[in-house]
Amino acid sequence: MADARTAAGIGRPVPYSTLSHLGCPRCGARHDADQVQGTCSCGSPLLARYDLGPIQVSPLDIAGRPANLWRYHELLPVREAGHVVSLGEGMTPLIAMPALGRELGVPNLLMKDEGLLPTGTFKARGAAVGVSRAAEIGVRAIAMPTNGNAGAAWAVYAARAGLRSLIVMPAGAPAITRAECAAAGAELYLVDGLIGDAGRLIAAALPGRPGFQDVSTLKEPYRLEGKKTMGLEIAEQLGWRLPGVIVYPTGGGVGIIGIYKALLEMRELGWVTGDLPRLVAVQASGCAPIVTAFAGGARQSEPWPDARTVAFGITVPKALGDFLVLDALYATGGTAVAVDDEELLADQREVARLEGCFICPEGAACFSAVRRLRDSGWLSGSDEVVVLNTGTGLKYPDTVPVDVPLLAPADVLP
Ligand SMILES: Cc1ncc(COP(=O)(O)O)c(C=O)c1O
Ligand SMILES: [Zn+2]
C-alpha cells in the first residue's frame, strides 16, 4: 500500500492523507478529526474535510497506482499507509450493458458492479476505510445495527484489524450475512424488527460497554469516505469525465451522499470539469421516504410506516442523512423514483438473461427506475447513464424461485 508519496509540485511532500478536520454540514461547527467522534452536537452527521488546495497529485499519478480504492489515499482519512486494513477492495468494473440498454431505450447504459468486492457488496468500501481509520485512532471494538450487508463487511474487516465487533440485524436480513458475521467472530444478535430497532438496542447497550464505538450509518464520519470512492472510480474509469446520470439504490443514503461529495471534491481539484451528473435516488414503493420528500420539495423525510421490500438493504424508514441525500438530488437536478417489488424482481432476471449479470435486488431496482424514467421522458436516448449495482445476486438466492424437474438417473431428457 505504500506507493510513492507523490510530490509533483513544489518540493513539499504530500502527506498520505490530507485530512484536515471534521465539518458539520448543518451548523458549520469544526471538530477534531484525530479524536473518536460521533455526530455533531446539533445531531447532524459530520463530514471529513481535506486540505484540497495543496494537493499536488494529478490523475496521471493515480493512474500508476495499485487497482484498489487506496489509490485515492490523499482524499481518504487514514493518515499512515501502514494503518490501511485491506482485502483488495475497489476498482470494480464499469461495464457496458448494450442489450439491456437497447431494450430500455438507453443505449449508453453502464453498470458499476460492486458485487465483485470482498463480502459481495459495496459495503466493503465503507468498512475498509471506516475500520482502518477507527483502528488508527485507537478504537478497539465497534458496534453497529445493520440490514445485513454492512454488518458482514464490518465484521470481516474488524476481524482482519483485530477489532471486536457487536452486530445487531433484523431477522429478515439476508441469511448469508449472519453466517459471514458468525464466521468472522462477531457478537451477533437478530431482532424481530427493522434496522431502527437494531439501532435502539445498540444505543441502549453501549453505555455498559466502554471502548465500543457506535459505527451506525452516518454516526461515524469515515464509512462515507470509503463509499465516496465509487464516484472517484466512475470518473477515472471514464477517462476523468462524468456521465450524465448516476442511479443509486438509496437506503441510509451513504452511497449517494458519498458520490456527491466525491464529485464536489474532484471539481474543486480540477480533476473534472463541466456539469455534474444528475443523481437519482431509487427506493422501493414499500419504503420510499426520500421519494415522498422529494416529490413534496421537502428538505427532510418523514418516517415511513410499515416498511417492507425484497430489496432489504434499502428498507430504511428514516435516514439520519436524509437532508444530505435531498440536497444532492436538488443540487444536481436529479430525481427520486420508487419501484415495486414485482418490477425489480422481473428486472433482476432480465439483467441476468440479457447481460449475464446476476445482480442484487437493490441494483435491480435501479434498472426498473431507468425503465420508468425513460418511459416518462426524464431520461433521453442520448443520456449516458451509470447504474450502481451495489451487490451480487449470490447473497440473495431466494429472490429467484427455481422450479425444475428432478430426474432419476435412468430418466431420459426430452
Ligand atoms: C445491497 C445494498 N444496496 C444499497 C444499500 C443502501 O445503502 P446506502 O446506505 O448507501 O443508501 C444497502 C444497505 O444496506 C445494501 O445492502
Ligand atoms: Zn452541527
Side-chain angles (χ1 to χ4, degrees):
M1 231 24 74
D3 50 308
R5 299 181 181 197
T6 315
I10 40 184
R12 188 152 51 109
V14 179
Y16 188 74
S17 169
T18 63
L19 179 65
S20 140
H21 64 278
L22 298 171
C24 175
R26 185 179 282 152
C27 75
R30 285 171 73 103
H31 299 263
D32 183 353
D34 291 305
Q35 302 293 319
V36 177
Q37 302 280 7
T39 48
C40 184
S41 48
C42 78
S44 168
L46 295 175
L47 299 181
R49 297 298 182 200
Y50 298 84
D51 279 324
L52 297 183
I55 295 188
Q56 299 294 322
V57 177
S58 73
L60 258 179
D61 300 312
I62 290 169
R65 294 179 178 173
N68 60 60
L69 62 77
W70 300 99
R71 64 204 276 111
Y72 310 110
H73 57 76
E74 289 89 350
L75 289 177
L76 293 173
V78 177
R79 293 211 189 273
E80 295 287 337
H83 291 157
V84 165
V85 179
S86 178
L87 295 166
E89 56 287 332
M91 275 316 220
T92 54
L94 181 64
I95 54 180
M97 306 291 272
L100 185 68
R102 262 194 307 280
E103 181 187 295
L104 299 181
V106 183
N108 297 321
L109 181 63
L110 299 158
M111 177 175 86
K112 187 154 176 65
D113 193 2
E114 297 286 290
L116 280 79
L117 289 168
T119 72
T121 76
F122 77 119
K123 299 286 185 182
R125 295 180 188 270
V129 175
V131 166
S132 298
R133 181 63 181 153
E136 183 171 61
I137 55 178
V139 172
R140 305 306 320 151
I142 53 112
M144 74 183 321
T146 171
N147 271 341
N149 289 324
W154 282 71
V156 304
Y157 281 91
R160 190 161 172 90
L163 267 52
R164 291 169 63 198
S165 58
L166 166 66
I167 313 269
V168 184
M169 66 172 71
I176 185 66
T177 61
R178 292 179 203 172
E180 293 176 276
C181 291
E187 183 184 344
L188 174 68
Y189 300 92
L190 302 181
V191 59
D192 186 10
L194 294 179
I195 189 166
D197 303 301
R200 276 183 286 281
L201 285 166
I202 291 277
L206 284 190
R209 291 180 177 248
F212 275 81
Q213 187 189 6
D214 183 350
V215 295
S216 306
T217 306
L218 291 172
K219 287 195 182 164
E220 65 75 51
Y222 300 118
R223 185 199 300 207
L224 179 77
E225 296 303 294
K227 295 192 178 181
K228 166 179 100 174
T229 58
M230 289 184 284
L232 296 167
E233 288 180 18
I234 290 170
E236 182 173 6
Q237 289 170 322
L238 290 174
W240 297 104
R241 189 176 62 69
L242 297 175
V245 179
I246 296 178
V247 186
Y248 194 87
T250 302
V254 190
I256 199 163
I257 299 166
I259 289 172
Y260 180 56
K261 186 170 187 282
L263 296 172
L264 297 180
E265 289 174 0
M266 287 188 287
R267 195 165 64 177
E268 195 174 336
L269 285 163
W271 291 0
V272 294
T273 52
D275 291 341
L276 297 185
R278 291 180 286 161
L279 298 180
V280 179
V282 179
Q283 300 199 297
S285 44
C287 182
I290 301 280
V291 178
T292 304
F294 182 84
R299 305 236 64 108
Q300 58 182 45
S301 66
E302 296 302 322
W304 190 269
D306 195 24
R308 65 184 75 219
T309 164
V310 293
F312 202 79
I314 53 177
T315 318
V316 180
K318 167 74 181 169
L320 188 63
D322 55 358
F323 66 105
L324 297 171
V325 175
L326 289 159
D327 284 354
L329 303 182
Y330 296 130
T332 60
T335 191
V337 186
V339 302
D340 299 336
D341 279 3
E342 302 75 59
E343 286 175 86
L344 69 90
L345 288 172
D347 276 323
Q348 186 188 32
R349 297 185 82 137
E350 196 66 353
V351 174
R353 190 180 69 81
L354 287 177
E355 300 288 2
C357 305
F358 184 28
I359 66 175
C360 65
E362 295 84 355
C366 292
F367 289 104
S368 303
V370 168
R371 193 184 286 282
R372 283 191 178 215
L373 291 171
R374 183 68 184 98
D375 288 349
S376 73
W378 192 89
L379 283 174
S380 82
S382 60
D383 280 322
E384 185 177 36
V385 178
V386 173
V387 163
L388 269 297
N389 173 45
T390 42
T392 170
L394 300 179
K395 296 200 85 167
Y396 300 77
D398 298 337
T399 52
V400 181
V402 178
D403 185 17
V404 291
L406 175 64
L407 304 179
D411 285 347
V412 177
L413 293 179

